[in-house]
Amino acid sequence: MPGTVETIKDTKLVEGKAVEGVLGAGKKLVTIYVMGKWYQVPAGLTITKALEYLGYRLVRGVGCRAGFCGACTTLWVKKNDYKLYSGLACQTMVEDGMYLVQIPFVPAEKRIYNIEELEPNGSVVLALYPEVTRCIGCNACTKVCPQEIQVMDTIQEIIRGNIAKAARMAFDCISCGSCSLRCPAEIKHFYVFQLVRRLYGKYIAPKAKHLEKRVKEIEERKYDGALDRLIRAGPDKWRELAEKAQKDEEVET
Amino acid sequence: MSGYPPEFRESIKIIEETREERLKITPPRVPLEEKEELLRKFHPDYKKEAKRQIKIGAGKGEYAPHEVANLLEAHSFLYMNALSNGVEIDLEDPDFDVDVLIIGGGGGGATAALWALYNGIPADRILLATKLRFGDANTKMAQGGIQAADREYDSPIIHFLDVMRGGHYTNDPDLVRILVTSAPFIIKWLEELGVMFDKEPDGTMIEVSGGGTSRLRMHSAGDYTGLEIMRTLMDEVLNREIRVLEFSPAVELLTDDEGNIAGAVLMNLETEQYLVVRAKSTVLTTGGFGRLHIQGFQTTNHYGATMDGVVLAYRVGAEIRDLDSVQYHPTGAAWPLQIAGQLVTEKVRSLGAQLVNTAGEAFVYPLEPRDIVAAAIIRECEERKKGVITPVGTCGVWLDSPMIEIIRGEGTIERYLPAMLRQFRRFGIDIRKEPILVYPTLHYQNGGIKINTNAQVLGNGGRPIGNLFAAGEVTGGVHGKNRLMGNSLLEITVFGRIAGINAAKNARNTNVGKLSLKHVYRWEEMLKEAGIETNVVAPMILPDYKGDIKFR
Ligand SMILES: Cc1cc2nc3c(=O)[nH]c(=O)nc-3n(C[C@H](O)[C@H](O)[C@H](O)COP(=O)(O)OP(=O)(O)OC[C@H]3O[C@@H](n4cnc5c(N)ncnc54)[C@H](O)[C@@H]3O)c2cc1C
Ligand code: SF4
Ligand code: SF4
Ligand code: FES
């Protein structure tokens, strides 16, 4: 059926031979090494799917399968290349000659705080995470971030006390931990960024006044009578009024 | 480099050539009298052969997709893997003894945990058990936003009407009332916790439209609204030192000798050991069922969305509703296959992108309700043969995202859809310059366990099942047969809170008796009596993709 889950056609794994119909990306097999062990998989699979294809039942190293949760951090090297690469297994295609391992968990300690008692400034952050000041500006973090965050610059903004700026810069962080694994200063960026965002959201961003007003109205039971009547009136009335609302008309109850 | 295969080039060219003309028109709305037929012929929910009547339990006789019915009529995981094999579950000496057990670490579960704590349950008397990592949940994946009627031009009454209309008036009006009247309070609570909502410089919330909502009411945090809410709630749960047990899904509920719920049996996913939790109140917040791949559809859901909570509650007699209606999101990615089925947010259409077929025709008004748009796309593929056939034989239509940059100015996509832009760029596709190939995808569990306004799970004859609460996507009623975008992030926080408060209250007045798994043995007998022969074992816990190269 169109659009539904489809199996790759003809997937007989014959070493070196082309496999028909495998993705648009490449109609052949690639060799990968999972924790050192040699396998062949169709080109074009993501690392996550390649592992499953090989018979792994993933428990760690998988979550949303869509690039949102940061559970699938994976490290690899390639043939004739000294570099250690990292990325999200669910968003990265296998490459020929990849030596990979999934990181089941990034060890890090979250500091405990009472957000009600904090002030939104840099020294609060540095008091909870003093290692932030150890940043040596090597930029290893920024290079590995799958979310393209300027991680080093964000850390520098925090050191300078620019909480608001840092919070916005670090907004797209999915806590994959890749940066922290590489950081010579042993900073646990994702926890630091979480604190910074909460300080911003709670203390620096201006409050929505219309929200307070509406909450008060509801507490004072402003809508209770109308809702009682409306619910009692039943579906015909709901339909009539809902259509009116759709046309942007006033709704009287 | 384009991430699209050469086969697509010709049809992309047609999209480019017709763009200028299409910019001048508004695609046709589906006339009211044709809607019914369109749905009947092409919407997957209307396929009779895809459903059957459930043969057992409180929902006996109700229709559900085969994939759902299979799980509701399944053997007990614990029975098959332990009880029937002589593996002993020691109920006399529980591994955990708590006041409140919360099963499911998504947004609903985290909210329930916090509100149980706010209502006097000490942190070390609460246990939040979850299947994968804390926060690996559908909540994290929500991009669009969360609704609340908090502006002068809006009111809880209009919100109520929109929710009811969205659900075709099949919703439980009492639950909807709570949803809409709690909404502003909940947004304020989230604001106070530090959620970075999109705001004007003076603090006014930036609120946009969503399919089916008559007022601008959608609050967002970039296109990571769910992620931002989830991680803030998680941070607070951890700050409060509530105990969280990861990689430990519940496999069965426990009862006491009077048949009230008394906790659950969990399984450590890594060691496969069973853990007995005795609890005075138990809250189910296990989310939805996307990973059942109903009718073979791809899904937007996370890996653990396997309907476990419904299965567990069903075995202790919970009633269910609206499980026959499944929400398909009209625009799942159809290419690249690596992200097939993943969400292409409605915002892309709100910002101006049209849906276009291989003839270059914008065949449907892009902001029709979800079921209509989904059916219209399937019609292009199946009947009109104006869809793009991919190299693996799947089909899709074009969502003309470059229009956004023309209509709203260059940089709009980068500004409002950074997550989307990044996701496609990873596979060599620049959605500012090239259109997106889409096809409907399995998105949301509209129905679920029946609850009342106290978030108590309802059993036989609508009577609450003792000590059992539920909130979020696992429940049914709030959205009736169709949920509108932005109302489920709201639902999980509103009803997660109510479940937490009532679980706390209940725990203060409850003494749990002797633990029992009698209902599991009873369930297995019922299967026999009903003549059900099945190999299916549930809860499913995780889908089995071993050895497969299906792209899901
Ligand atoms: C891609 C996507 C986009 C969305 N966009 C929006 C949007 O813009 N606006 C909106 O309002 N809604 C949106 N939704 C819907 C919304 O995100 C979900 O309905 C909602 O977050 C569900 O929350 P929940 O807490 O009920 O479940 P979840 O957040 O899914 O959490 C359930 C948790 O329970 C765990 N669990 C499951 N089974 C067990 C078990 N047996 N034992 C222990 N734990 C278990 C799961 O692992 C998971 O952690 C979207 C959903 C998706 C998938
Ligand atoms: S900042 Fe670090 S933890 Fe966050 S997404 Fe980037 S690499 Fe991952
Ligand atoms: S990796 Fe660590 S030390 Fe290097 S720039 Fe980043 S934060 Fe600083
Ligand atoms: S599994 Fe969530 S980011 Fe890869």
Side-chain angles (χ1 to χ4, degrees):
Chain A
M1 191 168 91
T4 58
V5 179
E6 287 288 331
T7 310
I8 297 170
K9 292 173 205 153
D10 179 13
T11 55
K12 233 167 100 198
L13 295 184
V14 187
E15 193 188 342
K17 274 201 188 139
V19 180
E20 228 179 277
V22 178
L23 300 170
K27 298 180 192 280
K28 58 175 195 312
L29 297 173
V30 295
T31 302
I32 62 168
Y33 301 81
V34 180
M35 294 180 275
K37 210 164 158 190
W38 180 91
Y39 292 104
Q40 286 200 312
V41 298
L45 297 183
T46 59
I47 295 172
T48 303
K49 282 167 185 168
L51 289 171
E52 286 172 341
Y53 167 72
L54 293 173
Y56 283 81
R57 176 175 178 261
L58 301 179
V59 172
R60 295 268 177 179
V62 63
C64 66
R65 308 173 70 96
F68 279 83
C69 78
C72 61
T73 302
T74 301
L75 301 178
W76 66 89
V77 294
K78 300 187 218 173
K79 276 226 163 95
N80 301 322
D81 185 347
Y82 64 88
K83 266 184 84 174
L84 179 63
Y85 294 85
S86 75
L88 302 173
C90 71
Q91 301 292 300
T92 308
M93 281 189 271
V94 287
E95 283 176 53
D96 200 31
M98 224 179 200
Y99 286 80
L100 63 88
V101 65
Q102 284 208 293
I103 306 299
F105 174 77
V106 175
E109 187 205 351
K110 189 195 115 59
R111 306 284 145 73
I112 303 297
Y113 46 85
N114 180 348
I115 192 81
E116 297 295 332
E117 290 172 355
L118 299 185
E119 277 175 40
N121 58 44
S123 40
V124 162
V125 182
L126 298 183
L128 280 163
Y129 294 101
E131 60 276 19
V132 166
T133 56
R134 298 177 61 221
C135 173
I136 56 164
C138 68
N139 212 24
C141 48
T142 307
K143 281 189 207 148
V144 295
C145 179
Q147 294 292 88
E148 302 159 319
I149 293 169
Q150 296 300 313
V151 188
M152 178 184 76
D153 296 349
T154 312
I155 291 291
Q156 292 298 330
E157 292 297 345
I158 293 169
I159 294 172
R160 279 186 227 119
N162 292 336
I163 299 298
K165 192 163 178 206
R168 284 191 294 264
M169 288 170 76
F171 187 76
D172 289 1
C173 173
I174 55 171
S175 309
C176 72
S178 305
C179 51
S180 308
L181 286 173
R182 306 302 297 275
C183 177
E186 284 145 345
I187 297 167
K188 301 299 178 275
H189 309 68
F190 49 100
Y191 283 142
V192 178
F193 294 166
Q194 180 61 60
L195 170 60
V196 167
R197 282 190 306 264
R198 285 192 70 185
L199 290 175
Y200 176 82
K202 182 169 176 59
Y203 294 110
I204 302 177
K207 288 268 170 309
K209 297 199 189 65
H210 55 95
L211 198 52
E212 278 169 45
K213 189 165 165 236
R214 181 56 49 82
V215 170
K216 198 149 168 273
E217 284 174 2
I218 291 171
E219 275 168 8
E220 287 164 356
R221 306 188 163 273
K222 181 174 167 191
Y223 300 97
D224 280 14
L227 278 166
D228 285 342
R229 280 193 302 277
L230 185 60
I231 288 177
R232 253 182 280 130
D236 288 341
K237 188 74 180 170
W238 304 337
R239 199 167 279 127
E240 177 201 322
L241 294 177
E243 291 309 323
K244 266 194 171 170
Q246 286 290 320
K247 293 187 200 112
D248 228 5
E249 291 171 19
E250 283 293 312
V251 178
E252 302 226 2
T253 51
Chain B
M1 179 201 88
S2 168
Y4 288 125
E7 294 95 307
F8 289 9
R9 211 144 288 155
E10 200 176 317
S11 100
I12 292 179
K13 221 172 112 206
I14 295 172
I15 303 303
E16 286 167 352
E17 286 166 3
T18 54
R19 190 170 290 141
E20 214 178 291
E21 277 306 305
R22 281 186 288 103
L23 276 163
K24 297 181 203 147
I25 58 145
T26 306
R29 285 179 186 264
V30 181
L32 201 61
E33 59 282 6
E34 283 174 30
K35 278 189 172 159
E36 192 54 43
E37 200 198 331
L38 176 66
L39 289 174
R40 205 163 23 80
K41 277 174 80 176
F42 298 105
H43 195 279
D45 254 8
Y46 290 70
K47 276 214 174 85
K48 287 223 170 63
E49 66 277 17
K51 292 179 192 178
R52 69 166 189 263
Q53 280 178 307
I54 303 164
K55 291 203 272 292
I56 188 173
K60 189 171 165 179
E62 284 183 36
Y63 280 88
H66 294 296
E67 295 81 355
V68 170
N70 289 346
L71 292 184
L72 293 180
E73 297 170 353
H75 289 291
S76 154
F77 179 96
L78 188 66
Y79 181 83
M80 299 305 274
N81 291 301
L83 302 180
S84 68
N85 291 336
V87 175
E88 193 136 348
I89 309 289
D90 184 0
L91 299 178
E92 299 295 322
D93 185 18
D95 300 277
F96 294 88
D97 195 351
V98 296
D99 287 346
V100 177
L101 168 65
I102 292 157
I103 301 173
T111 305
L114 287 171
W115 283 90
L117 181 96
Y118 299 161
N119 282 270
I121 307 293
D124 62 356
R125 301 288 304 158
I126 303 172
L127 181 69
L128 189 156
T130 193
K131 186 184 312 191
L132 298 164
R133 292 196 314 179
F134 185 21
D136 279 359
N138 279 353
T139 303
K140 244 187 200 174
M141 306 175 77
Q143 302 171 22
I146 176 167
Q147 296 203 34
D150 56 14
R151 297 289 277 274
E152 282 298 328
Y153 57 70
D154 199 0
S155 83
I157 293 170
I158 306 177
H159 192 179
F160 176 93
L161 293 168
D162 286 351
V163 177
M164 297 300 291
R165 181 175 180 273
H168 311 304
Y169 307 98
T170 55
N171 327 44
D172 179 334
D174 295 323
L175 295 179
V176 179
R177 177 190 187 141
I178 291 183
L179 181 82
V180 300
T181 52
S182 312
F185 173 86
I186 281 293
I187 302 287
K188 187 156 175 283
W189 175 59
L190 293 173
E191 186 190 44
E192 277 165 12
L193 285 175
V195 169
M196 284 173 60
F197 285 111
D198 295 338
K199 291 178 175 179
E200 305 284 359
D202 71 347
T204 305
M205 294 274 179
I206 297 176
E207 298 183 35
V208 301
S209 66
T213 56
S214 67
R215 300 291 184 273
L216 305 181
R217 186 188 295 139
M218 195 73 64
H219 305 59
S220 53
D223 56 354
Y224 285 112
T225 310
L227 172 66
E228 170 64 357
I229 291 175
M230 186 73 242
R231 64 194 178 192
T232 305
L233 293 173
M234 277 163 62
D235 194 54
E236 190 59 12
V237 166
L238 297 175
N239 275 343
R240 300 289 190 137
E241 299 184 83
I242 291 170
R243 281 194 298 180
V244 177
L245 203 58
E246 298 182 313
F247 297 93
S248 301
V251 294
E252 209 67 79
L253 293 173
L254 287 164
T255 60
D256 65 10
D257 28 22
E258 284 165 34
N260 295 317
I261 303 307
V265 178
L266 316 177
M267 186 178 76
N268 179 329
L269 270 186
E270 283 154 331
T271 62
E272 301 196 350
Q273 276 166 323
Y274 295 103
L275 297 166
V276 173
V277 184
R278 177 159 65 195
K280 294 177 178 171
S281 298
T282 301
V283 185
L284 287 168
T285 47
T286 50
F289 66 17
R291 289 284 154 189
L292 304 190
H293 294 292
I294 291 166
Q295 294 188 45
F297 270 84
Q298 302 279 8
T299 184
T300 60
N301 285 194
H302 81 120
Y303 189 41
T306 52
M307 207 184 76
D308 298 358
V310 179
V311 169
L312 300 190
Y314 201 62
R315 291 202 186 131
V316 296
E319 298 206 328
I320 50 171
R321 53 170 296 171
D322 301 324
L323 278 170
D324 60 327
S325 87
V326 178
Q327 187 167 87
Y328 297 89
H329 195 289
T331 57
W335 199 271
L337 286 170
Q338 293 88 348
I339 56 168
Q342 285 169 29
L343 184 67
V344 177
T345 165
E346 199 166 289
K347 240 186 183 170
V348 179
R349 281 172 288 140
S350 317
L351 289 171
Q354 291 172 347
L355 287 158
V356 190
N357 62 22
T358 47
E361 300 155 346
F363 56 89
V364 69
Y365 179 66
L367 292 176
E368 290 278 8
R370 283 185 175 170
D371 48 355
I372 299 285
V373 181
I377 294 172
I378 296 174
R379 177 171 65 187
E380 292 308 303
C381 279
E382 288 188 356
E383 188 183 64
R384 296 182 174 165
K385 309 285 179 217
K386 288 181 179 172
V388 179
I389 305 296
T390 72
V392 294
T394 56
C395 182
V397 299
W398 293 110
L399 180 60
D400 196 6
S401 47
M403 289 179 71
I404 298 174
E405 299 275 292
I406 301 173
I407 300 170
R408 308 211 174 218
E410 243 169 74
T412 307
I413 290 182
E414 182 152 24
R415 194 144 154 240
Y416 291 104
L417 300 163
M420 206 84 265
L421 178 64
R422 182 177 299 129
Q423 193 164 40
F424 280 87
R425 196 163 52 203
R426 281 178 180 142
F427 298 98
I429 294 167
D430 185 345
I431 64 169
R432 294 169 299 191
K433 303 203 177 83
E434 293 170 299
I436 307 168
L437 197 71
V438 295
Y439 192 80
T441 178
L442 173 47
H443 190 48
Y444 187 77
Q445 176 184 312
N446 288 315
I449 308 168
K450 265 194 206 168
I451 55 166
N452 64 14
T453 53
N454 292 324
Q456 289 173 292
V457 174
L458 301 180
N460 198 354
R463 275 189 304 275
I465 296 176
N467 309 337
L468 186 60
F469 304 83
E473 197 167 338
V474 68
T475 67
V478 173
H479 311 291
K481 297 220 180 273
N482 180 46
R483 170 198 69 121
L484 297 182
M485 170 196 173
N487 282 332
S488 39
L489 285 177
L490 181 59
E491 172 189 23
I492 64 173
T493 36
V494 166
F495 286 94
R497 168 173 172 255
I498 292 173
I501 294 172
N502 288 305
K505 250 190 227 162
N506 179 71
R508 277 196 290 276
N509 308 319
T510 301
N511 277 315
V512 179
K514 212 168 129 53
L515 298 182
S516 151
L517 279 165
K518 248 187 258 165
H519 67 286
V520 178
Y521 294 97
R522 176 74 199 120
W523 177 261
E524 290 294 329
E525 277 166 28
M526 278 165 66
L527 286 176
K528 254 189 230 134
E529 286 160 19
I532 295 172
E533 280 179 30
T534 174
N535 299 324
V536 184
V537 174
M540 182 188 275
I541 306 176
L542 290 172
D544 186 3
Y545 296 150
K546 277 201 308 284
D548 101 10
I549 29 176
K550 290 175 182 168
F551 303 101
R552 53 192 185 176

